[in-house]
Amino acid sequence: MSSSVGSGPGSASGLWRSALEAVSVTLIGLLLVAGLAMTSHAVGSLTGPDVAAATGTPTRAVSDQRLVAVGAGANVTGQVGHDPASTGAGIGALTGTDKDGHKSSQAAPPRPAAAAEVNSEQAYLDSAAAVAARAEREAAAPAFDQAMVGLSAAERAAGQGVRAGQALHEDNRLQQDQRSQGQAEEAAGIASEVARLEEEKRLAEEAAAKLAEQARLAEEARLAAEQAAAAAANGTLLEGTLVRVPTLAPVAGASVAAAVAPIVPGRYQIAARFGAVGTWSLYHTGVDLGAPIGTPIRAAAAGIVTAPVAGGWAGTHVIIEHADGSTLYAHMMATTVVPGQSVRAGEVIGFVGMTGRTFGPHLHFEYYPPGTSQVSPYAATDPVVWMARRGIQL
């Protein structure tokens, strides 16, 4: 009798063991609940309505799933580290049955299988992670949109900068082209100016050389005239004396036609004509062409130079024998030809002077018809008529 009382379900030791098992199960359940609470806090402290909104499960169903998960944890805990008797006692405490499997009047409703409960908890965790991910995306969306706006603005600014750089490069290129063109034009202008200055320098040097040559010839002519005048004054200048001066080329523009004026037209003036009377013995036997000392005298026509036999009154003079008579050139400063020399019309034969009987520098020009001699001055005829027959107007 005593053994049945000590070991039966209604004994004190059995009640004590059942109470301990119930307390153990309760503590294990509380620990599981705390673990679930920490998990919920880790995924963003989601509530039942949040999970329901994410998964489409009503709020009550979610709460029931949590309770089922707690029961599953208690069941699993009861199966680890206890014998079948203690396990059965623990399950009986939760379901309202005794260790022999008889239902009590307060039996709990049946619970789902353990595998279904684990899958439900995993779905819950997955749903919570999805909600957290969506919340993170929604929270990051404004910053992402702002970053995209900033990127677009940066791209537009970069494009504007590129276009501005291209425009600046093109402007610099145009300016460089304009500077190059201006430099080329300036260089061409400088080269043209240098060429012009060089040409002016060359012409000036040529003009200076001509002036120097003319001055030299004039000085030589002056010296020769002074010598001739001194010799005539002293009575030492003999008739037919030849004063040597440098041979000159024909005057530019001189003609080699049948006849030319003895002095280039424009360089002389008619001082006395043929037949004039006055200081001469009877009349003037030629034509006087007044010109400065040193003015070149030319052969009026082609011929041969003969001996100067006119006499002292003619001073230094030249006689040229032509095909239709002869011409005499008197009062010369100097001559450039000698007897027997052939000359052409327009060839320089001497220079204007003041030798012989004269009152000023001039050329006394006479013409002698064929068969007459210069020894008799009054055998001469009007030279102006003879020149006119050859087409020359004095």
Side-chain angles (χ1 to χ4, degrees):
M1 185 68 174
S2 60
S3 62
S4 62
V5 173
S7 60
S11 65
S13 60
L15 291 175
W16 179 251
R17 186 170 54 252
S18 298
L20 289 177
E21 291 176 354
V23 170
S24 299
V25 170
T26 301
L27 289 176
I28 292 172
L30 290 175
L31 291 174
L32 290 174
V33 170
L36 290 175
M38 292 178 64
T39 303
S40 299
H41 180 71
V43 296
S45 300
L46 299 176
T47 62
D50 295 331
V51 177
T55 62
T57 306
T59 304
R60 185 176 182 85
V62 173
S63 300
D64 293 341
Q65 291 174 3
R66 292 183 179 179
L67 293 176
V68 168
V70 171
N75 186 22
V76 173
T77 304
Q79 293 176 1
V80 178
H82 295 85
D83 57 11
S86 63
T87 302
I91 294 174
L94 292 175
T95 61
T97 60
D98 56 14
K99 62 182 180 178
D100 296 329
H102 300 287
K103 292 184 179 180
S104 66
S105 59
Q106 297 180 351
R111 59 182 179 83
E117 292 175 355
V118 172
N119 292 336
S120 176
E121 180 63 21
Q122 185 63 41
Y124 165 74
L125 293 177
D126 292 343
S127 298
V131 171
R134 187 182 68 178
E136 290 180 357
R137 289 196 299 272
E138 291 177 353
F144 178 77
D145 294 340
Q146 186 65 26
M148 292 301 295
V149 171
L151 179 60
S152 299
E155 290 177 347
R156 290 194 298 271
Q160 293 175 356
V162 170
R163 288 191 295 272
Q166 292 175 348
L168 179 61
H169 176 72
E170 182 65 17
D171 184 62
N172 291 336
R173 187 185 65 80
L174 292 176
Q175 291 181 1
Q176 182 64 29
D177 293 343
Q178 292 175 355
R179 286 194 296 269
S180 299
Q181 183 178 1
Q183 291 173 356
E185 293 176 354
E186 183 178 359
I190 292 174
S192 177
E193 182 66 15
V194 169
R196 185 185 66 81
L197 293 176
E198 290 180 351
E199 179 65 14
E200 290 182 355
K201 179 182 178 182
R202 185 185 65 80
L203 294 176
E205 290 176 350
E206 290 182 356
K210 289 180 180 179
L211 291 175
E213 181 65 15
Q214 291 176 359
R216 184 183 67 80
L217 294 176
E219 180 65 16
E220 291 181 355
R222 185 185 65 79
L223 294 175
E226 290 178 355
Q227 293 175 0
N234 295 331
T236 58
L237 182 61
L238 300 178
E239 183 176 332
T241 300
L242 176 65
V243 178
R244 289 293 183 181
V245 296
T247 301
L248 299 178
V251 176
S255 174
V256 292
V260 296
I263 297 177
V264 175
R267 296 186 180 182
Y268 68 90
Q269 293 180 346
I270 300 295
R273 292 188 176 274
F274 180 84
V277 294
T279 58
W280 303 279
S281 299
L282 295 177
Y283 56 85
H284 193 222
T285 56
V287 60
D288 290 343
L289 305 180
I293 292 177
T295 301
I297 299 173
R298 307 181 301 178
I304 299 175
V305 177
T306 62
V309 295
W313 68 268
T316 301
H317 61 282
V318 172
I319 298 173
I320 300 176
E321 190 72 25
H322 307 288
D324 57 344
S326 60
T327 52
L328 182 146
Y329 309 83
H331 310 307
M332 299 173 72
M333 179 187 71
T335 64
T336 60
V337 293
V338 294
Q341 179 179 341
S342 296
V343 294
R344 298 173 301 170
E347 186 174 347
V348 175
I349 59 174
F351 302 93
V352 172
M354 290 180 59
T355 59
R357 190 167 62 244
T358 180
F359 299 99
H362 69 282
L363 167 64
H364 178 80
F365 179 56
E366 291 183 349
Y367 168 71
Y368 289 85
T372 60
S373 172
Q374 292 79 19
V375 176
S376 177
Y378 291 102
T381 62
D382 192 353
V384 174
V385 175
W386 179 75
M387 294 294 294
R389 289 199 301 265
R390 292 175 173 264
I392 302 300
Q393 184 70 37
L394 293 180

